[in-house]
Amino acid sequence: MSEGEAARAAAEAAPEPAKHASEAASEQGSRNLVMRVVAALVLAPVAIMLAYVGGIAWTLLVTLAAIGLFVEWLMVTDVGREFRVVGPGVAALLLAGLGLIAGRIDAALIVLAIGAVAVALTSGERRNWATTGLLYAAAAEVASVLVRLDTAKGFGALMFVLLVVWVTDIGGYFAGRSIGGPKLWVRISPKKTWAGAIGGFAASLLVAAGFAAFEIGSTAPLLVLGALLSVVSQLGDLFESAVKRRFGVKDSSHIIPGHGGILDRLDGFVAAVIVAAILGFVRGGADGVGRGLMVW
């Protein structure tokens, strides 16, 4: 073999490890997608069913999810093994859930405030992170219950928020993978692209248009609301990514196959439902959040 032939042979052989690594990554990505789809097909119907039932069933689900959010937040911020911090926060969220079931929103808020003080006093140097985690979970708990509370429009309002968040996530995932292009914010979330953000945003407008087509609300306000909640949902996702990157954590846990933890799965929903509850409360009061959100 001549020197030139040897060089060409070496050049042809060199890319093989990279090729195998690329194939392995692609295969891993395919398995991850399958797990994401399967998990979504199981969890989404359960969430929709309990949202439809409302009342105690929905509040219990929300309370359990809020406890999961708080515990995972503490694990991410390296306080999760401190029972003196975990205990008061979990107890406050649980008691708040019971208060919400009883229709005592005021009592729920008082219990959560006491819980926040207890967490702050027991968490030492990480008190700011621990207290923020409880307030984050508590806001999600109360907001999710308030949006559904309205007997006339609560279920429709809650489904609007859920579907906007879901299609924003799904549209962003597929648009990002198929189109690629410039990254949205590399330092915070290296995989997210502008194409994904725009794709998710566009998908949310389709949901709003669908609700308007079925006369569940007026077209223009729903489009604006869908766009707002889509952006807020993506900001909530970036916020959670920033917290995880601050502490060098990839996933908040591995409880949901293909999705990571409860915090990973609900970050966008938490941000969106809190904003939705605030808007609905301003326009419709505590017992009319659904109407305030959907009737313009």
Side-chain angles (χ1 to χ4, degrees), residues 79-98:
V79 197
R81 294 179 177 83
E82 303 287 344
F83 181 76
R84 69 179 188 276
V85 182
V86 178
V90 169
L93 292 167
L94 183 58
L95 291 173
L98 295 176

Side-chain angles (χ1 to χ4, degrees), residues 159-173 175 184 192-208 221-239 267-276 279 293:
M159 286 308 303
F160 184 84
V161 177
L162 283 170
L163 289 174
V164 165
V165 172
W166 287 344
V167 301
T168 295
D169 184 46
I170 295 168
Y173 180 84
L184 181 62
K192 287 183 173 57
T193 63
W194 279 102
I198 295 170
F201 180 84
S204 72
L205 297 181
L206 293 178
V207 168
L222 286 183
L223 287 173
V224 173
L225 182 61
L228 172 64
L229 294 181
S230 178
V231 172
V232 169
S233 171
Q234 296 190 56
L235 291 175
D237 192 351
L238 289 171
F239 169 71
D267 49 11
F269 173 73
V270 170
V273 79
I274 290 172
V275 170
L279 288 174
L293 198 62

Side-chain angles (χ1 to χ4, degrees), residues 28 31-33 35-37 39-40 43 68-69 72-73 76 169 173 237 240 244 249-267:
Q28 177 64 30
R31 285 199 300 267
N32 188 55
L33 176 59
M35 288 191 294
R36 286 174 68 96
V37 171
L43 296 175
L69 287 172
E72 288 191 355
W73 178 285
V76 168
D169 184 46
Y173 180 84
D237 192 351
E240 191 247 0
K244 290 191 298 184
V249 176
K250 184 178 185 296
D251 295 316
S252 60
S253 77
H254 300 285
I255 194 171
I256 306 175
H259 291 279
I262 297 173
L263 190 58
D264 298 317
R265 182 65 276 167
L266 296 182
D267 49 11

Side-chain angles (χ1 to χ4, degrees), residues 101-127:
I101 288 173
R104 294 296 306 272
I105 300 173
D106 55 346
L109 294 176
I110 291 171
V111 166
L112 290 170
I114 294 172
V117 172
V119 168
L121 292 175
T122 57
S123 48
E125 296 178 355
R126 295 287 171 86
R127 67 172 55 87

